[in-house]
Amino acid sequence: MTAPAATALGVGLRVLVESPTTSAAQVVADAPVGSPQDPSAVARLLGEPLPAVLTFEHEHIPAAAFEAAAAAGVPARPSAEALVHAQDKTVMRRRLTELGVPCPRWSPVADAAALATFLEDVGGEAVVKTARGGYDGKGVRVVRSAHDVAEWFAAARIGGPALLAEEKVPFVRELAVLLARRPSGEVRVWPVVETVQRDGVCAEVLAPAPDLDPEVERAAVQAARAVAEGLDVTGVLAVEMFEVAGGDRGRVLVNELAMRPHNSGHWTIDAAVTSQFEQHLRAVLDLPLGETAARARWAVMANVLGSSLERLTDALPAVLAADPAAKVHLYGKEVRPGRKLGHVTVTGEDLADVRARAARAAAILRGDPA
Ligand code: ADP
């Protein structure tokens, strides 16, 4: 999704891909194959002609890749020091707490006894997370006892990811604030959105968040800016938050961070003046940032999570005929249950209508019966 933005700006992309069939390899010609864990693959990525900047589309980047970039004289944006806060939830919680950014109550839990103490403090129920390596709700579990995560403790003892516990936040809904920041410090923030998760995975994004209290909006944007500035983030930053009914720590609590274009910002491709993909390029190249205003009253993005179809493109005649104004994005991925295979964005004046149309288009791509 970065490729069309790069093409428009005349910016060349070289992408390190894990296999020649990945989504990125299908659309970027200069795509060396290899893992970011493999020094020779990273060397190919950083080879001649020397790139102007190194950036990322996921968090699983080893320190050695940053060291190789520094040795080659290629700036990494975000930096290793910033990205660690999106890689490790314990590091993130500790730093955000220092910065005074509102977070759920939390504690590192080294063993079952520490978790038992935390459970007592928070009233018997907590959310346990692996500090590293989780995504789409994998590595997040609601627990009432240490037995519920016995195998995670066992894994942690033999070098697996450390664990942390958080209070189970009784949130009203989940919000996300997307912004971009340049090395020179310029920041631009898109309208605050609501994210709707099903089974721990984002299913829908409503832009802007409906009926958002201006006070909550201010608090959400303020928290996201504090993260961007406090961690010296460059590029796109997504800050996922819980909206709560009220309490001693305010109306929003930060859940987690992504330092890259994020699913909560896919709506910007079709419905904001500047898409998150274009803005990420502008930000990491230290170019002036683009206007972030929405181009429609409402935009709803629905993810296509799994499909009964063998190839999603088989559904193009049906989905495009059903709603000529729906914007369909398919990622060229192999179909697997629950996998994010694409998304649809619909815009318009009536939220209920826009939401229903986005859901309908996603259902056609999932192969659901009419
Ligand atoms: P991942 O890194 O897998 O995306 P998250 O930390 O974002 O994991 O958690 C996934 C989902 O689990 C969240 O979107 C939210 O619905 C729920 N969740 C996470 N932490 C908490 C919490 N402290 N209280 C209540 N729900 C939570």
Side-chain angles (χ1 to χ4, degrees), residues 203-260:
E204 252 186 319
V205 172
L206 316 181
D211 302 316
L212 187 62
D213 180 333
E215 190 196 316
V216 174
E217 184 179 3
R218 254 196 314 279
V221 172
Q222 194 188 358
R225 281 179 172 275
V227 170
E229 275 149 24
L231 306 184
D232 195 17
V233 176
T234 44
V236 165
L237 168 71
V239 183
E240 297 183 86
M241 306 183 187
F242 302 119
E243 180 180 347
V244 292
D248 50 353
R249 280 156 304 152
R251 299 278 306 276
V252 294
L253 300 173
V254 170
N255 177 25
E256 71 158 351
L257 314 179
M259 289 181 203
R260 53 177 164 80

Side-chain angles (χ1 to χ4, degrees), residues 79-157:
S79 67
E81 294 73 29
L83 189 67
V84 67
H85 301 92
Q87 294 175 317
D88 189 310
K89 290 177 180 177
T90 305
V91 174
M92 179 269 289
R93 283 279 176 250
R94 192 164 286 132
R95 184 77 184 112
L96 263 47
T97 306
E98 279 168 15
L99 289 171
V101 173
C103 289
R105 288 168 62 190
W106 72 281
S107 174
V109 284
D111 51 31
L115 178 55
T117 307
F118 186 81
L119 279 165
E120 240 169 70
D121 289 350
V122 296
E125 198 174 37
V127 178
V128 173
K129 301 184 176 185
T130 54
R132 286 181 177 256
Y135 65 96
D136 282 352
K138 297 171 184 67
V140 172
R141 200 175 287 172
V142 178
V143 308
R144 301 195 66 88
S145 131
H147 294 298
D148 300 338
V149 281
E151 85 277 21
W152 288 0
F153 278 122
R157 279 196 296 275

Side-chain angles (χ1 to χ4, degrees), residues 301-349:
M301 190 259 359
N303 278 330
V304 182
L305 301 170
S307 180
S308 60
L309 305 172
E310 209 167 302
R311 290 176 314 183
L312 266 63
T313 47
D314 291 343
L316 283 176
V319 70
L320 300 180
D323 194 338
K327 305 309 287 184
V328 173
H329 300 256
L330 302 180
Y331 307 156
K333 290 183 185 171
E334 200 187 308
V335 175
R336 273 191 241 135
R339 193 178 194 193
K340 284 179 187 162
L341 302 169
H343 73 267
V344 182
T345 300
V346 176
T347 58
E349 290 297 314

